[in-house]
Amino acid sequence: MRKIKFPTKWLIVGAIMVFLGTSFLAISMNSTVFGHGLHISESISHYVGLEYWSAIVFMLGNLFVLMFTARYLWQLGEVWKMPKVFYVLIVVLGVTLLGLSACPSGMFDVGEETSLISWIHIMTSRAMFITMMLISAMIVMCRHANTLAHVINVFYLIYAVICIVGFVSEEAWFMNYVMIFETLFLLGFMVSMAFCDQRREHLAEPMVLN
């Protein structure tokens, strides 16, 4: 028998700091020092895959992002009594994050031919984005979640739909600013999770798991 503790927001704060740090390092160094130039129409993954060092740093950083985020979400699921599918989504989130991190986009492409590594990156990254939306949707539907968590996650889902529309339609307003939209999508997920650190009154006491 053990007490189920509410997750600390510092886990998500740590994930955000690592994500921003590795992304900024890869983009800034590869666009300036390594001479690839800065183009906000390109994704973060594009810049990560330009050099071996950035791919390695990004992968190592994502290991910490995964550990922090998974632990936070797992504890959150226990406190809010989330259904089993919520924990399945956490596992899928971890697998897809590891998959895209281990398969840097564009690094092994030859000319205009997309390599198998890049295809794996594409599939896992899209699966991860969908998984993030599903986790956010489950929090919106969770009766134990606090009101602020509900509101923030609703806004996140609306933004996610806007991104999907822009990506599928390939409209200029989205394609010319892919890096910005992508960064806000990933950062938005972690920020929306950070607002899930408050209890409702009926969850004020520590829960006990038999």
Short mmCIF file of all heavy atoms in Angstrom, two decimals, residues 3 7 47 56 62-63 71 73 77 80 86-87 113 116 119 129 132 136-137 152 157 161 180 202 208-209:
data_model
loop_
_atom_site.label_atom_id
_atom_site.label_comp_id
_atom_site.label_asym_id
_atom_site.label_seq_id
_atom_site.Cartn_x
_atom_site.Cartn_y
_atom_site.Cartn_z
N LYS A 3 1.05 5.72 -0.92
CA LYS A 3 0.35 6.97 -1.22
C LYS A 3 0.70 7.44 -2.63
O LYS A 3 1.84 7.37 -3.05
CB LYS A 3 0.75 8.06 -0.21
CG LYS A 3 0.20 7.83 1.20
CD LYS A 3 0.55 8.99 2.10
CE LYS A 3 -0.05 8.78 3.50
NZ LYS A 3 0.29 9.91 4.39
N PRO A 7 2.01 14.92 -9.04
CA PRO A 7 3.30 15.22 -9.67
C PRO A 7 3.73 16.66 -9.48
O PRO A 7 2.90 17.57 -9.44
CB PRO A 7 3.04 14.91 -11.16
CG PRO A 7 1.57 15.10 -11.32
CD PRO A 7 0.97 14.61 -10.03
N TYR A 47 16.84 21.01 -38.96
CA TYR A 47 18.11 21.55 -38.46
C TYR A 47 18.86 20.54 -37.60
O TYR A 47 20.09 20.48 -37.63
CB TYR A 47 17.86 22.84 -37.68
CG TYR A 47 17.71 24.02 -38.60
CD1 TYR A 47 16.46 24.43 -39.04
CD2 TYR A 47 18.83 24.70 -39.07
CE1 TYR A 47 16.32 25.49 -39.91
CE2 TYR A 47 18.70 25.77 -39.95
CZ TYR A 47 17.45 26.16 -40.37
OH TYR A 47 17.32 27.20 -41.25
N ILE A 56 22.92 13.93 -32.14
CA ILE A 56 23.28 13.24 -30.89
C ILE A 56 22.80 14.03 -29.68
O ILE A 56 22.22 13.48 -28.75
CB ILE A 56 24.80 13.00 -30.83
CG1 ILE A 56 25.21 12.01 -31.93
CG2 ILE A 56 25.20 12.47 -29.45
CD1 ILE A 56 26.71 11.85 -32.06
N ASN A 62 16.33 14.48 -25.50
CA ASN A 62 14.99 13.93 -25.52
C ASN A 62 14.82 12.76 -24.55
O ASN A 62 13.70 12.45 -24.15
CB ASN A 62 14.60 13.48 -26.93
CG ASN A 62 14.15 14.65 -27.79
OD1 ASN A 62 13.83 15.72 -27.28
ND2 ASN A 62 14.12 14.46 -29.10
N LEU A 63 15.91 12.11 -24.19
CA LEU A 63 15.84 11.07 -23.17
C LEU A 63 15.39 11.67 -21.84
O LEU A 63 14.58 11.08 -21.11
CB LEU A 63 17.19 10.37 -23.02
CG LEU A 63 17.65 9.51 -24.20
CD1 LEU A 63 19.05 8.95 -23.93
CD2 LEU A 63 16.68 8.36 -24.45
N ARG A 71 7.08 10.51 -16.33
CA ARG A 71 6.88 10.40 -14.88
C ARG A 71 5.75 11.33 -14.42
O ARG A 71 4.90 10.94 -13.62
CB ARG A 71 8.16 10.74 -14.13
CG ARG A 71 8.03 10.61 -12.61
CD ARG A 71 9.34 10.91 -11.92
NE ARG A 71 9.20 10.85 -10.47
CZ ARG A 71 10.16 11.13 -9.60
NH1 ARG A 71 11.37 11.48 -10.04
NH2 ARG A 71 9.95 11.06 -8.31
N LEU A 73 3.22 12.57 -16.25
CA LEU A 73 1.93 12.12 -16.76
C LEU A 73 1.45 10.86 -16.04
O LEU A 73 0.25 10.71 -15.78
CB LEU A 73 2.02 11.87 -18.26
CG LEU A 73 2.20 13.11 -19.15
CD1 LEU A 73 2.36 12.69 -20.60
CD2 LEU A 73 1.01 14.05 -19.00
N GLY A 77 -1.94 10.58 -14.00
CA GLY A 77 -2.96 9.58 -14.31
C GLY A 77 -3.42 8.83 -13.07
O GLY A 77 -4.61 8.52 -12.92
N TRP A 80 -5.61 11.32 -10.89
CA TRP A 80 -6.90 11.61 -11.52
C TRP A 80 -7.66 10.36 -11.94
O TRP A 80 -8.70 10.45 -12.59
CB TRP A 80 -6.70 12.54 -12.72
CG TRP A 80 -6.47 13.96 -12.33
CD1 TRP A 80 -6.59 14.50 -11.09
CD2 TRP A 80 -6.08 15.04 -13.19
NE1 TRP A 80 -6.31 15.85 -11.12
CE2 TRP A 80 -5.99 16.21 -12.40
CE3 TRP A 80 -5.80 15.13 -14.55
CZ2 TRP A 80 -5.63 17.45 -12.92
CZ3 TRP A 80 -5.44 16.36 -15.08
CH2 TRP A 80 -5.36 17.51 -14.27
N PHE A 86 -4.96 5.84 -21.10
CA PHE A 86 -4.11 7.01 -20.83
C PHE A 86 -2.66 6.57 -20.66
O PHE A 86 -1.74 7.20 -21.19
CB PHE A 86 -4.59 7.74 -19.57
CG PHE A 86 -3.84 9.00 -19.25
CD1 PHE A 86 -4.10 10.17 -19.95
CD2 PHE A 86 -2.86 9.02 -18.26
CE1 PHE A 86 -3.41 11.34 -19.67
CE2 PHE A 86 -2.18 10.19 -17.96
CZ PHE A 86 -2.45 11.35 -18.67
N TYR A 87 -2.46 5.47 -19.95
CA TYR A 87 -1.10 4.95 -19.74
C TYR A 87 -0.53 4.35 -21.03
O TYR A 87 0.68 4.44 -21.27
CB TYR A 87 -1.11 3.91 -18.62
CG TYR A 87 -1.65 4.45 -17.32
CD1 TYR A 87 -2.97 4.21 -16.94
CD2 TYR A 87 -0.86 5.23 -16.48
CE1 TYR A 87 -3.48 4.72 -15.76
CE2 TYR A 87 -1.36 5.74 -15.29
CZ TYR A 87 -2.67 5.48 -14.94
OH TYR A 87 -3.17 6.00 -13.77
N GLU A 113 15.98 11.64 -52.89
CA GLU A 113 15.40 10.38 -52.42
C GLU A 113 15.36 10.35 -50.88
O GLU A 113 16.39 10.52 -50.22
CB GLU A 113 16.21 9.19 -52.94
CG GLU A 113 15.62 7.84 -52.56
CD GLU A 113 16.41 6.68 -53.14
OE1 GLU A 113 17.31 6.93 -53.97
OE2 GLU A 113 16.13 5.54 -52.76
N LEU A 116 15.07 5.51 -45.61
CA LEU A 116 14.22 4.79 -44.66
C LEU A 116 14.25 5.46 -43.30
O LEU A 116 13.23 5.55 -42.61
CB LEU A 116 14.69 3.33 -44.54
CG LEU A 116 13.96 2.47 -43.50
CD1 LEU A 116 12.47 2.36 -43.83
CD2 LEU A 116 14.60 1.09 -43.41
N TRP A 119 11.92 8.31 -43.31
CA TRP A 119 10.54 7.86 -43.30
C TRP A 119 10.11 7.45 -41.89
O TRP A 119 8.99 7.74 -41.46
CB TRP A 119 10.34 6.70 -44.27
CG TRP A 119 10.13 7.12 -45.68
CD1 TRP A 119 10.93 6.86 -46.77
CD2 TRP A 119 9.03 7.90 -46.19
NE1 TRP A 119 10.41 7.44 -47.92
CE2 TRP A 119 9.24 8.08 -47.58
CE3 TRP A 119 7.90 8.47 -45.60
CZ2 TRP A 119 8.36 8.80 -48.38
CZ3 TRP A 119 7.02 9.20 -46.41
CH2 TRP A 119 7.25 9.35 -47.78
N PHE A 129 2.66 13.54 -32.53
CA PHE A 129 1.78 14.70 -32.52
C PHE A 129 0.34 14.29 -32.22
O PHE A 129 -0.36 14.93 -31.44
CB PHE A 129 1.85 15.44 -33.85
CG PHE A 129 3.15 16.17 -34.08
CD1 PHE A 129 3.42 16.77 -35.29
CD2 PHE A 129 4.10 16.25 -33.08
CE1 PHE A 129 4.61 17.44 -35.50
CE2 PHE A 129 5.30 16.91 -33.28
CZ PHE A 129 5.56 17.51 -34.49
N MET A 132 -0.05 13.31 -28.57
CA MET A 132 -0.13 14.49 -27.73
C MET A 132 -1.56 15.05 -27.70
O MET A 132 -2.09 15.40 -26.64
CB MET A 132 0.82 15.57 -28.23
CG MET A 132 2.29 15.28 -27.96
SD MET A 132 3.33 16.58 -28.64
CE MET A 132 4.94 16.11 -27.97
N SER A 136 -4.10 15.26 -24.45
CA SER A 136 -4.73 16.53 -24.10
C SER A 136 -6.25 16.40 -24.08
O SER A 136 -6.93 16.92 -23.19
CB SER A 136 -4.30 17.61 -25.11
OG SER A 136 -4.84 18.87 -24.77
N ALA A 137 -6.80 15.66 -25.06
CA ALA A 137 -8.25 15.47 -25.14
C ALA A 137 -8.76 14.69 -23.93
O ALA A 137 -9.85 14.97 -23.40
CB ALA A 137 -8.61 14.74 -26.43
N ILE A 152 -7.04 25.37 -20.61
CA ILE A 152 -5.77 25.43 -21.34
C ILE A 152 -5.69 24.33 -22.39
O ILE A 152 -5.23 24.56 -23.52
CB ILE A 152 -4.58 25.32 -20.36
CG1 ILE A 152 -4.55 26.52 -19.42
CG2 ILE A 152 -3.26 25.21 -21.13
CD1 ILE A 152 -4.33 27.84 -20.11
N LEU A 157 -5.92 22.14 -28.04
CA LEU A 157 -6.53 21.31 -29.08
C LEU A 157 -7.00 22.15 -30.26
O LEU A 157 -6.89 21.73 -31.42
CB LEU A 157 -7.70 20.51 -28.49
CG LEU A 157 -7.30 19.36 -27.55
CD1 LEU A 157 -8.54 18.76 -26.90
CD2 LEU A 157 -6.52 18.30 -28.30
N VAL A 161 -5.63 21.72 -34.12
CA VAL A 161 -6.48 21.58 -35.31
C VAL A 161 -6.08 22.61 -36.36
O VAL A 161 -6.03 22.31 -37.56
CB VAL A 161 -7.97 21.75 -34.94
CG1 VAL A 161 -8.84 21.83 -36.19
CG2 VAL A 161 -8.42 20.59 -34.06
N ILE A 180 7.95 27.97 -36.39
CA ILE A 180 7.23 28.65 -35.32
C ILE A 180 6.02 27.83 -34.87
O ILE A 180 5.80 27.62 -33.68
CB ILE A 180 6.79 30.05 -35.78
CG1 ILE A 180 8.03 30.92 -36.05
CG2 ILE A 180 5.90 30.71 -34.71
CD1 ILE A 180 7.70 32.28 -36.61
N HIS A 202 -11.99 17.69 -3.81
CA HIS A 202 -12.23 16.31 -3.38
C HIS A 202 -10.99 15.44 -3.55
O HIS A 202 -10.98 14.27 -3.20
CB HIS A 202 -13.40 15.70 -4.17
CG HIS A 202 -13.17 15.60 -5.63
ND1 HIS A 202 -13.31 16.67 -6.48
CD2 HIS A 202 -12.79 14.55 -6.41
CE1 HIS A 202 -13.05 16.30 -7.72
NE2 HIS A 202 -12.75 15.02 -7.71
N VAL A 208 -4.44 6.62 -1.57
CA VAL A 208 -3.72 5.40 -1.20
C VAL A 208 -4.03 4.31 -2.20
O VAL A 208 -5.19 4.06 -2.54
CB VAL A 208 -4.11 4.94 0.22
CG1 VAL A 208 -3.41 3.62 0.56
CG2 VAL A 208 -3.77 6.00 1.23
N LEU A 209 -2.98 3.69 -2.72
CA LEU A 209 -3.13 2.63 -3.71
C LEU A 209 -2.90 1.29 -3.02
O LEU A 209 -1.87 1.09 -2.39
CB LEU A 209 -2.12 2.82 -4.83
CG LEU A 209 -2.18 1.79 -5.96
CD1 LEU A 209 -3.51 1.93 -6.70
CD2 LEU A 209 -1.01 2.00 -6.92
#
